Amino acid sequence: MLLNVCCEKPINSRRRRNGVWAAVEMSRAMWSSVLITGCSRGIGLRLVRELAHSNNRPATIIATARQPSTALQQLSKTHPGLHIVTLDVSSEQGISSASEEVQSIVGDTGLNCLINNAAIGFSTNISTVTPESMMTMFQVNAVAPLFITKAFMPLLQAAAARSSGMGIHRAAVINMSSVLGSITLNCGDGAKYKNYAYGTSKAALNMVTRCLAADLKSSGILCMSLHPGWVKTDMGGPNPLSHLDVLASVRLTYIKLGKNADIRWITYGHAEVR
């Protein structure tokens, strides 16, 4: 499943925002365990914070980071059920060690949702792109999510065996992608912003997701790529979108997922694009 929650503009309508947050409240109760990579800052940290503060939060929130930030550590001290696991996504040994630690946390109930959020990005055009920049971003943004998913697959399968249907209430892998990885949209005005290494790595991630979706469907594990929008983060830079609007849209997308959902890319307003 490939979904593009492309935040073209912030929500200004009170009615729409109330509707989104009603959906958010529903989504909170759907999963009992979630693991998010790349949680020291940016989208990962904000997702962890929002989930930890929610009324009907997952019982187990596992936040991973290569070097856990002070902000993340403070959250874990004040929110029971929030676990920090050290994980360098580019290290095979690190992935293996993290999977063993997560196994000890979730036990036989398994893991309901894996969000591969960790990524790196910096601008590369035809003049500045190098083999090193291509390979570095490919490793972190495309290869790592595949092998993290492989390592946590037994835990996802354990969770999937306890329920039916398709969705985060059972088991799901959500790969944070980007509209910059879209080949179709990289034309006309969409081609003005060129980023060889980052865009290529996200296109590869989308193919990884499609392959995972085909392989894991029989186990009842939903796999999707999600473009969360251009967010105001250290990597994304300044823009008019708030974390609140993006997170509301992301979680609204989660609850729309089901076994009859079409494979598609959709915009922030959930209109289909090709």
Side-chain angles (χ1 to χ4, degrees), residues 122-170:
F122 46 85
S123 180
T124 53
N125 57 35
I126 189 63
S127 300
T128 61
V129 66
T130 64
E132 292 77 19
S133 64
M134 291 289 293
M135 295 306 296
T136 297
M137 275 193 246
F138 190 79
Q139 171 64 37
V140 175
N141 297 350
V143 177
L146 169 59
F147 284 90
I148 289 170
T149 302
K150 281 188 64 175
F152 287 100
M153 197 160 60
L155 297 179
L156 291 163
Q157 291 171 328
R162 299 169 63 88
S163 186
S164 60
M166 293 287 281
I168 60 173
H169 68 284
R170 188 179 185 187

Side-chain angles (χ1 to χ4, degrees), residues 36-255:
I36 307 170
T37 67
C39 295
S40 276
R41 59 184 181 176
I43 292 176
L45 178 60
R46 189 56 188 259
L47 278 172
V48 171
R49 181 178 289 121
E50 290 292 320
L51 286 172
H53 285 138
S54 63
N55 293 327
N56 298 310
R57 46 160 284 179
T60 302
I61 302 170
I62 302 170
T64 78
R66 182 170 56 89
Q67 294 179 326
S69 62
T70 300
L72 183 59
Q73 292 175 26
Q74 288 297 325
L75 270 178
S76 69
K77 293 177 181 178
T78 56
H79 293 83
L82 171 55
H83 306 266
I84 297 178
V85 173
T86 301
L87 171 59
D88 179 353
V89 300
S90 61
S91 165
E92 287 187 52
Q93 181 57 51
I95 293 173
S96 177
S97 297
S99 66
E100 293 177 4
E101 187 172 349
V102 172
Q103 164 70 60
S104 69
I105 294 171
V106 300
D108 294 337
T109 60
L111 179 66
N112 289 120
C113 186
L114 167 62
I115 302 178
N116 284 309
N117 168 72
I120 59 172
F122 46 85
S123 180
T124 53
N125 57 35
I126 189 63
S127 300
T128 61
V129 66
T130 64
E132 292 77 19
S133 64
M134 291 289 293
M135 295 306 296
T136 297
M137 275 193 246
F138 190 79
Q139 171 64 37
V140 175
N141 297 350
V143 177
L146 169 59
F147 284 90
I148 289 170
T149 302
K150 281 188 64 175
F152 287 100
M153 197 160 60
L155 297 179
L156 291 163
Q157 291 171 328
R162 299 169 63 88
S163 186
S164 60
M166 293 287 281
I168 60 173
H169 68 284
R170 188 179 185 187
V173 176
I174 298 170
N175 291 327
M176 287 294 192
S177 187
S178 170
V179 70
L180 295 177
S182 169
I183 295 174
T184 302
L185 297 180
N186 189 27
C187 60
D189 290 341
K192 290 181 179 179
Y193 182 78
K194 297 179 177 63
N195 197 324
Y196 280 81
Y198 185 77
T200 301
S201 71
K202 291 300 186 178
L205 176 63
N206 291 339
M207 178 55 76
V208 166
T209 306
R210 292 292 289 117
C211 293
L212 286 171
D215 281 340
L216 302 185
K217 182 178 180 180
S218 61
S219 296
I221 302 172
L222 175 71
C223 299
M224 58 169 284
S225 285
L226 175 66
H227 170 55
W230 185 21
V231 192
K232 189 174 182 179
T233 63
D234 290 343
M235 189 170 74
N239 78 95
L241 288 178
S242 70
H243 283 99
L244 187 66
D245 289 326
V246 173
L247 291 168
S249 182
V250 167
R251 287 196 230 152
L252 177 60
T253 300
Y254 290 169
I255 73 162

